[in-house]
Amino acid sequence: MRVQSLTLALAGAALLAPAPAPAPAPAPSPGPGVRPAAASRPAASAPAVAPEGDVRAADLLAKVRGCTQISNGRYRSDDGARADIPVCGKRGAVFWKADMDIDCDGRPGRRCNSRTDPVFSDATAYQQSDGRELDAETLPYIVVPGVSDIWNHRDHDVRAGSVAAVIHEDRVQYAVVGDIGPTHIIGEASYATAKALGIRPDPIGGGTDAGVTYLVFKDSRVSPIESLRAAATLGESRARRFLKEN
């Protein structure tokens, strides 16, 4: 939200007042560990959906350095790529490390529609509580592969609305499982997820070739699935539990 400039208001007050009021003292700089106000950050670098909570990306990544493979095989990042991405298991979670392709499917909007995305679909595997399709432009969600001999996500308590921590560089964004993709490809998330992580969200030419960790917490469910606040609250809680248990 933009804050209206005070210039005109102060000028009008100066004409009416008998004497100019003394200028207020500058606000003190925030002390160590105090997060600056959002208005002071450069707009270009601000994520679309502000990550909430204090769990650090580095702490989560330290817990997923190795991989105990739980998938029967491995996935490709794209058609034609090598099948070299396993799904790994840890106590209370599953995870994979992959690229990020941009999913714009769901309710059409200004940035996600059949004109901006040549493979756009106006449907997602799961719907909002009101029956409408999910909105990729505003809702951080991830895509899990369709059930196959490689892996069945349902067997590991991963379902519609399961909460995930999506990690890229030093950012963590909580998202929901919101769509199902091809049975042989992994590494896809919504427009809003990419934008929040500082990844180019354009469905044509956007995304990133590597460096994204998808950490999905077992037996979790955001309700309603479209609630950003519920995803952030549950995601932060499950992330803290994951750090303690692993």
Side-chain angles (χ1 to χ4, degrees), residues 10-11 14 31 49 56 59-60 70 75 97 100 113-114 125 142 153 165 168 173 183 195 199 206 236 246:
L10 290 176
V49 182
R56 299 190 313 157
D59 292 337
L60 291 174
I70 60 172
Y75 288 96
K97 301 177 182 181
M100 181 180 285
N113 54 64
S114 58
I142 67 169
H153 56 274
H168 177 63
Q173 176 61 46
T183 58
K195 190 170 182 180
I199 297 170
E236 179 78 0
N246 291 279

Side-chain angles (χ1 to χ4, degrees), residues 163-181:
V163 70
V166 189
I167 309 154
H168 177 63
E169 297 180 347
D170 61 349
R171 291 186 181 181
V172 179
Q173 176 61 46
Y174 297 112
V176 296
V177 171
D179 206 358
I180 294 178

Side-chain angles (χ1 to χ4, degrees), residues 5-17:
S5 172
L6 298 179
T7 304
L8 293 178
L10 290 176
L15 290 175
L16 295 175

